[in-house]
């Protein structure tokens, strides 16, 4: 009955776990959720007000499929000031979240048989989107502390490589690709017929490290890179669904054509709010960074007290990716939920068994409770 296209999509390995957690919550059980992929802060009021004003002013109709001119101008300014990237208007597109920007990019670039290099542990959405676009994800397993280098990229290129996907800071590891390595990756790829998709959505949540966009290394690399970013993570705006991409105008045009035939434009009201976010709310993520650093240090200290867990300190984003001394992290996570009522994301969801991810985008109180329960669980049923 279903198409071959949709059959390519793998159901999420955490579906059952999430359904169970939801059921427990509905029964009123005190479940601690450490799986959040979003900040627990409210979207800043000025941004919400800009959305409300847009409604009052009647900005409630279709916009240009690739986004309003005013928002594109704000995005151009963001790229220029934050990333030293001088894109032109026709080189940017506004999408329904970075997720749609990524899907558009894969879809307009990939043909059957093309390979996309993806470095694991990785966000599973990439893998599913690449398959839906008709290409083959080539998943390369990184070793702890999961830092991508040019050497690793080089070793894994084949005649079929169409795209190299990079994500820094990374989900789920929080690892950042070091600047010299970004430059070496750029050098390695600049004369090859290979595209780069650079997902930079956690840029603003790097902790004490300045971000480098690969596209700004030189003009050649800029022309073959699609830089993906958004405001979901940086401005606590996951529900508004605004992301954006910068790249070669031919690619951006194709992405815009695809978007026009699939979702028309991103929500007009959210676009108005996003202008406010990009223009005026830059202080918000400084506050977020400070708070996240406190939480990260707190989690690090608590994790050190738990025997048999091994982890690297994340350099950005809001996740710890923690090693268990056993392969089946999905089964372990299910038992943790049953026994101690804590939700974590098992490594299976990131193509890395034997690990689990916890988010520190939740309050210190929630973290304290959750980590106490994890400690008790590990002590009762030692990992090794
Ligand atoms: N890229 C990465 C690495 C993510 O982790 C996420 C969301 O979890 C996204 C992109 C999607 O962001 P958006 O909400 O803008 O679609």
């Amino acid at each position: 009955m279903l198409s071959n296209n949709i059959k390519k999509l793998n159901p999420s390995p955490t579906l059952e776990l999430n359904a169970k957690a939801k059921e427990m919550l509905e029964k009123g059980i005190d479940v601690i959720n450490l799986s959040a992929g979003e900040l627990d802060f409210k979207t800043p009021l000025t941004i919400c007000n800009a959305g409300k004003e847009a409604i009052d002013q009647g900005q409630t109709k279709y916009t240009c499929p690739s986004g309003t001119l005013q928002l594109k101008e704000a995005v151009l300014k963001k790229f220029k000031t934050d990333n030293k990237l001088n894109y032109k208007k026709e080189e940017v597109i506004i999408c329904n979240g970075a997720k749609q920007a990524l899907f558009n990019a894969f879809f307009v670039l990939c043909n059957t048989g093309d390979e996309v290099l993806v470095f694991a542990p990785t966000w599973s959405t990439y893998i599913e989107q690449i398959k839906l676009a008709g290409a083959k994800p080539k998943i390369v397993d990184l070793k702890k502390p999961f830092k991508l280098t040019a050497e690793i990229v080089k070793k894994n290129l084949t005649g079929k490589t169409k795209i190299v996907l990079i994500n820094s800071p990374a989900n789920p590891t929080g690892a950042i690709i070091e600047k010299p390595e970004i430059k070496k990756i750029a050098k390695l790829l600049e004369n090859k017929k290979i595209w780069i998709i650079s997902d930079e959505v956690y840029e603003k949540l790097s902790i004490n490290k300045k971000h480098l966009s690969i596209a700004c290394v030189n003009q050649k690399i800029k022309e073959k890179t699609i830089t993906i970013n958004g405001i979901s993570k940086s401005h606590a705006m996951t529900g508004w669904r605004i992301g954006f991409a910068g790249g070669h105008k031919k690619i951006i045009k194709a992405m815009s054509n695809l978007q026009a035939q699939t979702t028309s434009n991103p929500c007009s009201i959210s676009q108005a709010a996003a202008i406010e976010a990009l223009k005026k709310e830059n202080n918000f993520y400084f506050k977020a960074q400070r708070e996240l650093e406190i939480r990260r240090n707190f989690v690090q200290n608590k994790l050190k007290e738990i025997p048999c867990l091994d982890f690297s300190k994340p350099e950005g984003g809001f996740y710890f990716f923690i090693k268990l001394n056993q392969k089946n992290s999905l089964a372990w996570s299910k038992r943790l939920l049953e026994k101690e009522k804590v939700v974590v994301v098992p490594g299976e969801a990131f193509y890395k068994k034997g690990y689990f991810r916890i988010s520190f985008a939740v309050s210190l109180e929630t973290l304290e409770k959750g980590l106490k329960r994890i400690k008790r669980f590990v002590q009762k049923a030692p990992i090794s």
Side-chain angles (χ1 to χ4, degrees):
M1 179 178 75
L2 295 176
S3 73
N4 291 335
N5 276 338
I6 198 65
K7 282 185 198 152
K8 291 179 202 161
L9 203 67
N10 269 343
S12 160
T14 53
L15 224 55
E16 204 192 319
L17 190 79
N18 292 337
K20 176 90 189 147
K22 200 160 168 256
E23 193 190 303
M24 288 165 89
L25 276 168
E26 278 165 6
K27 282 187 189 156
I29 297 172
D30 172 30
V31 174
I32 298 288
N33 188 352
L34 299 183
S35 72
E38 56 190 353
L39 289 173
D40 61 335
F41 309 122
K42 283 192 175 149
T43 304
L45 193 62
T46 50
I47 301 178
C48 296
N49 285 339
K52 288 180 199 160
E53 267 165 43
I55 299 177
D56 292 340
Q57 288 166 5
Q59 293 180 44
T60 52
K61 304 288 170 68
Y62 289 130
T63 71
C64 169
S66 58
T68 63
L69 182 59
Q70 294 90 321
L71 179 52
K72 281 186 196 166
E73 279 168 353
V75 167
L76 291 178
K77 190 155 172 258
K78 179 254 172 289
F79 274 134
K80 190 169 175 184
T81 37
D82 291 351
N83 312 108
K84 299 198 189 80
L85 280 169
N86 284 308
Y87 287 119
K88 298 195 183 78
K89 202 171 71 231
E90 57 280 14
E91 292 172 325
V92 293
I93 179 172
I94 316 298
C95 304
N96 292 283
K99 212 174 215 179
Q100 188 185 28
L102 284 160
F103 181 76
N104 287 346
F106 290 128
F107 198 85
V108 306
L109 286 172
C110 294
N111 284 312
T112 313
D114 288 342
E115 278 180 4
V116 181
L117 262 193
V118 187
F119 302 94
T122 186
W123 187 45
S124 62
T125 294
Y126 298 135
I127 309 298
E128 301 308 321
Q129 290 194 347
I130 292 163
K131 289 191 292 181
L132 285 175
K136 187 171 169 284
K138 181 175 172 192
I139 304 174
V140 176
D141 198 33
L142 295 179
K143 299 277 168 280
K144 234 177 126 250
F146 310 119
K147 287 178 83 76
L148 183 64
T149 62
E151 190 56 36
I152 299 171
V153 177
K154 191 175 171 191
K155 258 197 216 154
N156 288 284
L157 296 176
T158 72
K160 291 183 183 162
T161 310
K162 180 71 173 271
I163 301 173
V164 173
L165 173 70
I166 61 174
N167 172 220
S168 177
N171 176 10
T173 61
I176 284 178
I177 309 172
E178 295 298 333
K179 281 185 192 173
E181 291 302 326
I182 296 232
K183 289 181 186 161
K184 280 192 220 160
I185 295 171
K187 185 99 203 116
L188 171 73
L189 298 176
E190 68 184 15
N191 292 319
K192 293 194 167 37
K193 275 191 162 172
I194 294 174
W195 294 89
I196 300 162
I197 295 184
S198 177
D199 180 352
E200 306 181 7
V201 297
Y202 292 98
E203 169 194 9
K204 294 291 179 196
L205 303 174
S206 312
I207 308 171
N208 300 332
K209 281 220 174 182
K210 203 153 164 37
H211 180 80
L212 175 68
S213 290
I214 191 163
C216 93
V217 173
N218 63 42
Q219 186 58 26
K220 269 190 195 166
I221 213 75
K222 180 171 168 232
E223 293 201 347
K224 49 171 47 220
T225 300
I226 297 102
T227 308
I228 309 277
N229 213 323
I231 53 174
S232 285
K233 312 287 177 180
S234 58
H235 290 81
M237 290 180 72
T238 44
W240 297 76
R241 308 309 304 130
I242 295 292
F244 42 86
H248 193 288
K249 70 175 184 198
K250 272 196 186 158
I251 308 289
I252 297 295
K253 176 89 187 125
M255 287 168 67
S256 169
N257 289 343
L258 172 63
Q259 190 158 292
Q261 300 299 7
T262 49
T263 57
S264 296
N265 52 273
C267 169
S268 58
I269 300 150
S270 299
Q271 290 193 66
I275 297 172
E276 180 70 23
L278 289 173
K279 282 195 173 160
K280 301 204 192 117
E281 273 299 340
N282 283 350
N283 282 335
F284 172 76
Y285 48 74
F286 293 131
K287 271 191 268 161
Q289 273 174 349
R290 273 200 299 275
E291 179 61 27
L292 285 175
E293 189 164 5
I294 294 170
R295 294 179 188 181
R296 181 182 69 160
N297 293 340
F298 176 82
V299 174
Q300 189 188 17
N301 289 335
K302 292 284 167 199
L303 284 175
K304 277 188 194 155
E305 292 171 11
I306 309 178
C308 300
L309 295 183
D310 186 19
F311 60 93
S312 305
K313 193 173 181 178
E315 300 167 297
F318 37 67
Y319 310 111
F320 272 82
F321 198 55
I322 305 157
K323 188 171 189 295
L324 293 164
N325 276 348
Q326 57 177 272
K327 271 273 171 247
N328 197 339
S329 31
L330 180 57
W332 184 87
S333 305
K334 281 183 188 163
R335 285 200 303 277
L336 176 69
L337 177 62
E338 276 159 22
K339 301 274 183 233
E340 289 291 350
K341 325 280 182 276
V342 180
V343 191
V344 300
V345 189
E348 282 80 349
F350 307 104
Y351 292 81
K352 192 78 181 170
K353 285 183 183 173
Y355 284 76
F356 67 101
R357 188 192 79 176
I358 61 170
S359 161
F360 52 99
V362 292
S363 70
L364 279 174
E365 196 193 343
T366 305
L367 288 169
E368 177 152 36
K369 270 197 196 170
L371 288 159
K372 206 167 162 185
R373 293 184 190 188
I374 293 178
K375 185 175 179 183
R376 191 164 58 200
F377 181 68
V378 171
Q379 280 169 341
K380 274 194 202 155
I383 294 165
S384 60

